[in-house]
């Protein structure tokens, strides 16, 4: 047992499976009572012919209605509030790339619990109050900003709200402030490293960096390992979503064998996205989360659309909170090309095995002569564009490896470093230019 977090509810972190279930039984009942203050849930319960009294144990979660992003949009802005607006102290909103954005409300207690969650994770990966934490993720509505800020402060670290972008300034801060830990989206970390290289900065020699929290977007194990090697650090996967609070929902421990999802805060289900029935442990399905500690906006069986699977319910670290595999992506990230289902992360996994390649890539889908095609553009790690034979061989090897993985032959284009677009927030990996046939 390696759980020594003095301030961070070790009593919750180190619960046995039986204790987790007992706590969930109690908290689910409270949550359902709280939900009964929301007209949306009153209506849903009526339709299903159930009352709050029917929900006694965590098993009963299956009687409850699902909640979807569409429900949150339909009740925009305040329709899901379970408390009066005057009780709320913070509002976050998800990006709303399609349709109405969604609104998430927090009471002060919600914010406190959220900070505790993030603090727990940061402690879990070995950070301590004498660490210096630089948060290089977007602030504002994006929860990766304030979420990590309050969590890192709660843990007692000197916390630098560097925000995303301006890589030269980021690197200067790291060196001047003795930054030991950074949080950023993985695609931004690789960008930072490239700028370090251009500036002749060696993160091992010139910084005190030792821990990275990377998350908010899907990334492969291969990408993580690359980041660790480049930066000379340990990089831990961090999962969050605004609807559940933000970062802090799931985090890898030092074993790096999946993300512990905190079951004192959430009931975790993995369901078949078509039948909505639970799938057995080990099988991929859609992650469905029920909040257990939220006051302002409790959510029942929220369909995240993220696809993952249960890896285990125990861990050598001593924590018994369920371990989930890294996300494959959301069901809406899946590309269907000539009848084959493909996730961007499958492409990434293959590209990352070629040391000749840098980290940035872009997948473009087009329709040419009535056929759907995929082009994978990827940046070269170094310039050898004049060595045609080598380039051709590399191109052929990558194409073959991709074909083995996705069962289709993509067009591979090797491009010079710095050619493809970089975003400060979550990376855009796929551009779909296909004609849509009705
Ligand atoms: P938005 O919905 O505007 O993108 P969120 O920050 O709420 O804003 O995004 C949450 C989503 O981000 C998750 O549902 C998931 O798809 C993705 N995500 C977050 N963390 C990870 C992670 N560690 N690995 C893969 N995907 C992640
Ligand atoms: Zn663990």
């Amino acid at each position: 047992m390696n759980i020594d977090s003095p301030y961070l509810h070790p009593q919750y972190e180190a619960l046995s499976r039986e204790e987790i279930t007992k706590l969930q039984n109690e908290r689910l009942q409270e949550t359902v009572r709280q939900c009964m203050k929301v007209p949306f849930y009153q209506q849903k319960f009526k339709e299903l012919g159930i009352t709050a009294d029917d929900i006694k144990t965590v098993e009963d979660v299956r009687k409850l209605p699902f909640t979807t992003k569409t429900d949150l949009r339909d009740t925009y802005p305040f329709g899901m509030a379970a408390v009066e607006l005057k009780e709320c102290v913070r509002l976050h909103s998800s990006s709303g790339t399609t349709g109405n954005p969604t609104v998430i409300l927090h009471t002060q207690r919600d914010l406190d619990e959220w900070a505790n969650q993030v603090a727990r994770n940061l402690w879990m990966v070995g950070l301590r109050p004498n660490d210096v934490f630089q948060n290089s993720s977007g602030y504002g509505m994006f929860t990766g900003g304030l979420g990590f800020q309050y969590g890192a402060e709660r843990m007692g670290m000197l916390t630098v709200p560097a925000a995303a972008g301006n890589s030269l300034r980021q690197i200067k801060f790291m060196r001047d402030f003795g930054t030991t830990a950074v949080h950023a989206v993985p695609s931004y970390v690789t960008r930072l490293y490239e700028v370090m290289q251009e500036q002749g900065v060696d993160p091992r020699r010139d910084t005190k960096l030792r821990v990275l929290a990377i998350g908010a977007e899907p990334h492969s194990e291969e990408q993580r390992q690359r980041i660790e090697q480049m930066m000379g650090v340990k990089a831990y996967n961090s999962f969050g979503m605004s609807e559940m609070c933000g970062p802090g929902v799931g985090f890898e421990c030092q074993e790096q064998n999946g993300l512990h999802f905190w079951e004192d805060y959430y009931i975790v289900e993995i369901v078949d996205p078509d039948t909505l029935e639970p799938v057995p442990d080990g099988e991929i399905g859609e992650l469905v989360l029920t909040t257990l500690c939220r006051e302002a906006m409790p959510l029942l069986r929220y369909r995240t659309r993220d696809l993952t699977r249960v890896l285990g319910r125990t861990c050598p670290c001593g924590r018994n909170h369920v371990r989930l595999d890294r996300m494959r992506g959301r069901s809406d990230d899946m590309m269907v090309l000539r009848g084959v289902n493909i996730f961007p992360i499958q492409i990434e996994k293959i590209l990352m095995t070629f040391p000749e390649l840098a980290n940035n890539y872009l997948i473009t889908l087009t329709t040419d002569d009535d056929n759907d095609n995929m082009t994978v553009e990827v940046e070269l790690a170094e310039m050898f564009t004049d060595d045609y034979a080598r380039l051709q061989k590399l191109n052929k090897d990558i194409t073959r490896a991709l074909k083995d993985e996705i069962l289709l032959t993509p067009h591979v284009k090797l491009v010079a470093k710095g050619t493809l677009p970089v975003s400060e927030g979550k990376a855009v990996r796929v551009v779909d230019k296909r004609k849509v046939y009705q």
Side-chain angles (χ1 to χ4, degrees):
M1 182 78 66
N2 174 28
I3 299 164
D4 58 351
S5 37
Y7 331 112
L8 309 170
H9 311 307
Q11 72 273 31
Y12 294 135
E13 211 171 330
L15 294 178
S16 67
R17 288 303 313 171
E18 295 71 37
E19 288 163 334
I20 288 175
T21 306
K22 190 163 166 279
L23 186 68
Q24 288 193 329
N25 292 344
E26 288 160 18
R27 290 191 170 175
L28 179 61
Q29 292 186 33
E30 274 167 42
T31 294
V32 167
R33 276 198 296 276
Q34 184 73 353
C35 285
M36 287 300 94
K37 298 176 187 161
V38 184
F40 169 84
Y41 282 124
Q42 289 166 0
Q43 178 65 25
K44 287 267 175 186
F45 272 51
K46 215 158 125 196
E47 281 164 22
L48 290 169
I50 54 170
T51 68
D53 292 338
D54 293 321
I55 309 303
K56 298 210 162 53
T57 70
V58 63
E59 300 290 312
D60 295 327
V61 77
R62 291 184 57 191
K63 298 181 187 161
L64 294 172
F66 286 95
T67 312
T68 64
K69 195 152 195 144
T70 312
D71 296 329
L72 300 193
R73 290 196 173 121
D74 292 348
T75 53
Y76 176 86
F78 303 135
M80 295 300 275
V83 298
E84 284 187 51
L85 219 51
K86 66 175 198 294
E87 312 277 327
C88 299
V89 296
R90 173 97 65 81
L91 179 156
H92 276 280
S93 173
S94 80
S95 51
T97 25
T98 48
N100 250 351
T102 55
V103 158
I104 315 296
L105 295 164
H106 300 266
T107 62
Q108 186 56 50
R109 202 190 90 186
D110 291 334
L111 293 184
D112 280 344
E113 287 294 354
W114 180 14
N116 287 340
Q117 276 175 263
V118 174
R120 176 193 288 182
N121 294 321
L122 296 175
W123 187 284
M124 175 170 74
V125 297
L127 294 171
R128 294 296 176 263
N130 57 0
D131 276 290
V132 178
F133 187 89
Q134 185 165 329
N135 191 11
S136 307
S137 90
Y139 274 66
M141 287 298 194
F142 179 57
T143 51
L146 292 178
F148 269 98
Q149 181 73 32
Y150 281 80
E153 288 175 3
R154 172 69 46 96
M155 225 210 75
M157 288 188 284
L158 174 60
T159 307
V160 184
N166 199 341
S167 304
L168 288 178
R169 200 180 62 153
Q170 298 279 356
I171 296 165
K172 180 173 167 50
F173 282 175
M174 274 181 213
R175 300 180 70 175
D176 294 353
F177 304 154
T179 300
T180 53
V182 164
H183 164 246
V185 292
S187 50
Y188 187 62
V189 175
T190 57
R191 174 72 196 139
L192 261 182
Y193 180 68
E194 283 169 11
V195 177
M196 282 181 174
Q197 276 186 312
E198 284 161 24
Q199 299 297 314
V201 174
D202 174 352
R204 285 184 172 77
R205 185 192 60 206
D206 303 322
T207 75
K208 292 188 176 152
L209 210 56
R210 62 185 188 88
V211 168
L212 290 178
I214 52 173
E217 65 185 14
H219 56 287
S220 55
E221 176 59 27
E222 289 73 8
Q223 169 93 293
R224 181 255 287 283
Q225 283 174 14
R226 261 193 179 210
I227 287 177
E228 291 190 327
Q229 276 155 21
M230 290 181 324
M231 303 291 270
V233 295
K234 280 283 177 196
Y236 296 98
N237 190 357
S238 153
F239 177 91
M241 69 188 317
S242 319
E243 293 88 336
M244 291 297 119
C245 64
V249 179
F251 218 94
E252 277 179 330
C253 68
Q254 288 179 311
E255 302 289 329
Q256 295 184 308
N257 57 357
L259 300 129
H260 282 290
F261 269 62
W262 300 113
E263 293 183 89
D264 50 336
Y265 286 106
Y266 308 99
I267 294 175
V268 177
E269 296 174 88
I270 311 286
V271 305
D272 179 317
D274 297 321
T275 64
L276 300 181
E277 289 300 318
V279 301
D281 283 5
E283 264 180 42
I284 302 241
E286 179 178 343
L287 173 66
V288 171
L289 295 170
T290 297
T291 64
L292 291 176
C293 286
R294 296 282 300 286
E295 227 174 21
M297 226 179 107
L299 293 175
L300 300 177
R301 304 191 88 191
Y302 185 69
R303 292 189 58 183
T304 66
R305 293 188 282 181
D306 288 309
L307 300 174
T308 181
R309 61 189 174 135
V310 171
L311 293 178
R313 293 174 199 273
T314 54
C315 180
C317 76
R319 294 171 185 85
N320 299 309
H321 295 261
V322 64
R323 279 184 296 113
L324 300 186
D325 204 356
R326 60 178 60 249
M327 304 294 139
R328 292 213 147 184
R330 291 191 196 185
S331 44
D332 16 348
D333 295 335
M334 191 175 78
M335 305 173 270
V336 184
L337 202 76
R338 302 189 205 173
V340 184
N341 299 344
I342 306 163
F343 282 95
I345 203 165
Q346 289 176 273
I347 313 262
E348 176 181 299
K349 191 174 84 178
I350 300 298
L351 297 178
M352 293 299 129
T353 59
F354 287 88
E356 299 91 336
L357 300 179
N359 299 285
N360 203 2
Y361 64 94
L362 183 68
I363 303 164
T364 308
L365 307 177
T366 50
T367 311
D368 316 295
D369 303 330
D370 287 350
N371 275 325
D372 283 351
N373 287 311
M374 176 188 288
T375 303
V376 178
E377 288 173 277
V378 54
E379 292 184 1
L380 286 163
E382 41 169 317
M383 290 304 297
F384 52 87
T385 27
D386 44 354
D387 187 345
Y388 273 112
R390 194 173 161 203
L391 273 179
Q392 255 180 346
K393 170 152 191 331
L394 179 62
N395 198 316
K396 225 167 112 188
D397 292 346
I398 297 169
T399 309
R400 189 177 315 123
L402 285 174
K403 179 163 189 239
D404 286 346
E405 172 70 29
I406 61 173
L407 311 174
L408 290 171
T409 310
H411 300 295
V412 173
K413 275 193 194 163
L414 302 175
V415 301
K417 201 143 118 186
T419 337
L420 296 175
V422 232
S423 54
E424 277 177 13
K426 304 188 186 210
V428 178
R429 299 298 193 191
V430 181
V431 178
D432 194 343
K433 296 182 177 168
R434 285 179 294 180
K435 289 184 199 142
V436 182
Y437 298 102
Q438 303 294 343

